[in-house]
CSV table of all heavy atoms in Angstrom, one decimal:
chain,number,residue,atom,x,y,z
Q,48,TYR,N,24.4,-31.7,6.2
Q,48,TYR,CA,24.4,-31.7,4.8
Q,48,TYR,C,24.7,-33.0,4.2
Q,48,TYR,O,25.2,-33.9,5.0
Q,48,TYR,CB,25.5,-30.6,4.3
Q,48,TYR,CG,26.9,-30.9,4.6
Q,48,TYR,CD1,27.8,-31.4,3.7
Q,48,TYR,CD2,27.4,-30.7,5.9
Q,48,TYR,CE1,29.1,-31.6,4.0
Q,48,TYR,CE2,28.7,-31.0,6.2
Q,48,TYR,CZ,29.6,-31.4,5.3
Q,48,TYR,OH,30.9,-31.6,5.6
Q,50,GLN,N,26.0,-35.0,0.5
Q,50,GLN,CA,26.6,-34.8,-0.8
Q,50,GLN,C,26.2,-35.9,-1.8
Q,50,GLN,O,26.4,-35.9,-3.0
Q,50,GLN,CB,28.1,-34.7,-0.8
Q,50,GLN,CG,28.6,-33.4,0.0
Q,50,GLN,CD,30.1,-33.4,0.2
Q,50,GLN,OE1,30.6,-34.3,0.8
Q,50,GLN,NE2,30.7,-32.4,-0.4
Q,56,GLN,N,26.5,-35.6,6.7
Q,56,GLN,CA,27.4,-35.2,7.7
Q,56,GLN,C,26.8,-34.1,8.6
Q,56,GLN,O,26.0,-33.3,8.1
Q,56,GLN,CB,28.7,-34.6,7.0
Q,56,GLN,CG,29.6,-35.6,6.4
Q,56,GLN,CD,29.1,-36.0,5.0
Q,56,GLN,OE1,28.6,-35.2,4.3
Q,56,GLN,NE2,29.2,-37.3,4.7
Q,59,ASP,N,27.5,-27.5,11.9
Q,59,ASP,CA,28.0,-26.8,13.1
Q,59,ASP,C,27.0,-27.0,14.3
Q,59,ASP,O,27.5,-26.8,15.5
Q,59,ASP,CB,28.2,-25.3,12.9
Q,59,ASP,CG,29.2,-25.2,11.7
Q,59,ASP,OD1,30.2,-25.9,11.7
Q,59,ASP,OD2,29.0,-24.3,10.9
Q,102,ARG,N,29.9,-24.5,-6.1
Q,102,ARG,CA,29.7,-24.0,-4.7
Q,102,ARG,C,28.6,-23.0,-4.5
Q,102,ARG,O,28.3,-22.5,-3.4
Q,102,ARG,CB,31.0,-23.5,-4.1
Q,102,ARG,CG,31.9,-24.7,-3.9
Q,102,ARG,CD,33.3,-24.2,-3.6
Q,102,ARG,NE,33.9,-23.6,-4.7
Q,102,ARG,CZ,35.1,-23.0,-4.7
Q,102,ARG,NH1,35.7,-22.8,-3.6
Q,102,ARG,NH2,35.6,-22.5,-5.8
V,3,GLN,N,34.5,-17.1,11.2
V,3,GLN,CA,35.4,-17.1,10.1
V,3,GLN,C,35.1,-16.0,9.1
V,3,GLN,O,35.9,-15.6,8.3
V,3,GLN,CB,35.5,-18.4,9.5
V,3,GLN,CG,36.0,-19.5,10.4
V,3,GLN,CD,36.2,-20.8,9.7
V,3,GLN,OE1,37.1,-20.9,8.8
V,3,GLN,NE2,35.4,-21.8,10.0
V,27,ASN,N,40.0,-17.1,7.5
V,27,ASN,CA,40.6,-18.3,7.1
V,27,ASN,C,41.3,-18.1,5.7
V,27,ASN,O,40.6,-17.9,4.7
V,27,ASN,CB,39.6,-19.4,7.0
V,27,ASN,CG,40.1,-20.8,6.6
V,27,ASN,OD1,41.2,-20.9,6.2
V,27,ASN,ND2,39.3,-21.8,6.9
V,28,SER,N,42.6,-18.1,5.6
V,28,SER,CA,43.3,-17.9,4.4
V,28,SER,C,43.1,-19.0,3.4
V,28,SER,O,43.6,-18.9,2.2
V,28,SER,CB,44.8,-17.7,4.7
V,28,SER,OG,45.4,-18.8,5.3
V,29,MET,N,42.5,-20.1,3.8
V,29,MET,CA,42.3,-21.2,2.8
V,29,MET,C,41.0,-21.0,2.0
V,29,MET,O,40.8,-21.7,1.1
V,29,MET,CB,42.2,-22.5,3.6
V,29,MET,CG,43.4,-22.9,4.4
V,29,MET,SD,44.8,-23.1,3.3
V,29,MET,CE,44.3,-24.6,2.4
V,30,PHE,N,40.2,-20.0,2.4
V,30,PHE,CA,39.0,-19.7,1.6
V,30,PHE,C,39.5,-19.3,0.2
V,30,PHE,O,40.4,-18.5,0.0
V,30,PHE,CB,38.2,-18.6,2.2
V,30,PHE,CG,37.4,-19.0,3.4
V,30,PHE,CD1,37.2,-18.1,4.4
V,30,PHE,CD2,36.9,-20.3,3.5
V,30,PHE,CE1,36.5,-18.5,5.6
V,30,PHE,CE2,36.2,-20.7,4.7
V,30,PHE,CZ,36.0,-19.7,5.7
V,31,ASP,N,38.8,-19.9,-0.9
V,31,ASP,CA,39.2,-19.6,-2.2
V,31,ASP,C,38.0,-19.2,-3.1
V,31,ASP,O,38.2,-19.0,-4.3
V,31,ASP,CB,40.0,-20.7,-2.9
V,31,ASP,CG,39.2,-22.0,-2.9
V,31,ASP,OD1,38.0,-22.0,-2.4
V,31,ASP,OD2,39.7,-23.0,-3.5
V,32,TYR,N,36.8,-19.1,-2.5
V,32,TYR,CA,35.7,-18.7,-3.3
V,32,TYR,C,34.7,-18.0,-2.4
V,32,TYR,O,34.5,-18.4,-1.2
V,32,TYR,CB,35.0,-20.0,-3.8
V,32,TYR,CG,34.0,-19.8,-5.0
V,32,TYR,CD1,34.4,-19.4,-6.2
V,32,TYR,CD2,32.6,-19.9,-4.7
V,32,TYR,CE1,33.5,-19.2,-7.3
V,32,TYR,CE2,31.7,-19.7,-5.8
V,32,TYR,CZ,32.2,-19.3,-7.0
V,32,TYR,OH,31.3,-19.2,-8.0
V,92,ALA,N,31.8,-17.7,2.3
V,92,ALA,CA,33.1,-18.2,1.8
V,92,ALA,C,33.2,-19.7,1.8
V,92,ALA,O,32.5,-20.3,2.7
V,92,ALA,CB,34.2,-17.5,2.6
V,93,SER,N,34.0,-20.2,1.0
V,93,SER,CA,34.2,-21.7,1.0
V,93,SER,C,35.6,-22.0,0.5
V,93,SER,O,36.3,-21.2,0.0
V,93,SER,CB,33.2,-22.4,0.1
V,93,SER,OG,33.5,-22.1,-1.3
V,94,ASN,N,36.0,-23.3,0.8
V,94,ASN,CA,37.3,-23.8,0.4
V,94,ASN,C,37.1,-25.0,-0.4
V,94,ASN,O,36.6,-26.0,0.1
V,94,ASN,CB,38.1,-24.2,1.7
V,94,ASN,CG,39.5,-24.8,1.3
V,94,ASN,OD1,39.8,-25.0,0.2
V,94,ASN,ND2,40.3,-25.1,2.3
V,95,MET,N,37.3,-24.9,-1.7
V,95,MET,CA,37.0,-25.9,-2.7
V,95,MET,C,37.7,-27.2,-2.3
V,95,MET,O,37.2,-28.3,-2.5
V,95,MET,CB,37.4,-25.4,-4.1
V,95,MET,CG,37.1,-26.5,-5.2
V,95,MET,SD,35.4,-26.8,-5.4
V,95,MET,CE,35.3,-27.1,-7.1
V,96,ASN,N,38.9,-27.1,-1.8
V,96,ASN,CA,39.7,-28.4,-1.6
V,96,ASN,C,39.3,-29.1,-0.3
V,96,ASN,O,39.8,-30.2,-0.1
V,96,ASN,CB,41.2,-28.0,-1.6
V,96,ASN,CG,41.6,-27.6,-3.0
V,96,ASN,OD1,41.2,-28.1,-4.0
V,96,ASN,ND2,42.5,-26.7,-3.0
V,97,ARG,N,38.6,-28.4,0.5
V,97,ARG,CA,38.3,-29.0,1.8
V,97,ARG,C,36.9,-29.8,1.8
V,97,ARG,O,36.8,-30.9,2.0
V,97,ARG,CB,38.3,-27.9,2.9
V,97,ARG,CG,38.1,-28.5,4.3
V,97,ARG,CD,38.1,-27.3,5.3
V,97,ARG,NE,37.9,-27.8,6.6
V,97,ARG,CZ,38.8,-28.2,7.5
V,97,ARG,NH1,40.0,-28.2,7.1
V,97,ARG,NH2,38.4,-28.6,8.7
V,98,ASP,N,35.9,-29.1,1.5
V,98,ASP,CA,34.6,-29.7,1.4
V,98,ASP,C,33.7,-28.7,0.7
V,98,ASP,O,34.1,-27.7,0.2
V,98,ASP,CB,34.0,-30.0,2.8
V,98,ASP,CG,34.1,-28.8,3.8
V,98,ASP,OD1,33.8,-27.7,3.3
V,98,ASP,OD2,34.4,-29.0,4.9
V,99,ASP,N,32.4,-29.0,0.7
V,99,ASP,CA,31.5,-28.2,-0.1
V,99,ASP,C,30.7,-27.3,0.8
V,99,ASP,O,29.6,-26.8,0.5
V,99,ASP,CB,30.6,-29.0,-0.9
V,99,ASP,CG,31.4,-29.7,-2.0
V,99,ASP,OD1,31.9,-29.0,-2.9
V,99,ASP,OD2,31.4,-31.0,-2.0
V,100,LYS,N,31.1,-27.1,2.0
V,100,LYS,CA,30.4,-26.2,3.0
V,100,LYS,C,30.7,-24.8,2.6
V,100,LYS,O,31.8,-24.4,2.2
V,100,LYS,CB,30.8,-26.5,4.4
V,100,LYS,CG,30.4,-27.9,4.9
V,100,LYS,CD,30.5,-28.0,6.4
V,100,LYS,CE,31.9,-27.9,6.9
V,100,LYS,NZ,31.9,-28.0,8.4
V,101,ILE,N,29.7,-24.0,2.9
V,101,ILE,CA,29.8,-22.5,2.7
V,101,ILE,C,29.6,-21.9,4.1
V,101,ILE,O,28.7,-22.3,4.8
V,101,ILE,CB,28.7,-22.0,1.8
V,101,ILE,CG1,29.0,-22.4,0.3
V,101,ILE,CG2,28.7,-20.4,1.8
V,101,ILE,CD1,28.0,-21.9,-0.7
V,102,ILE,N,30.5,-21.0,4.5
V,102,ILE,CA,30.4,-20.4,5.8
V,102,ILE,C,29.8,-19.0,5.6
V,102,ILE,O,30.4,-18.2,4.8
V,102,ILE,CB,31.8,-20.2,6.4
V,102,ILE,CG1,32.6,-21.6,6.4
V,102,ILE,CG2,31.7,-19.7,7.8
V,102,ILE,CD1,31.9,-22.7,7.2
Side-chain angles (χ1 to χ4, degrees):
Chain Q
Y48 65 107
Q50 295 174 300
Q56 287 78 42
D59 301 317
R102 288 169 289 173
Chain V
Q3 298 187 68
N27 188 342
S28 58
M29 298 300 291
F30 286 146
D31 61 357
Y32 195 74
S93 70
N94 177 356
M95 180 64 145
N96 293 324
R97 186 180 174 91
D98 51 38
D99 294 295
K100 290 196 295 183
I101 292 179
I102 309 298

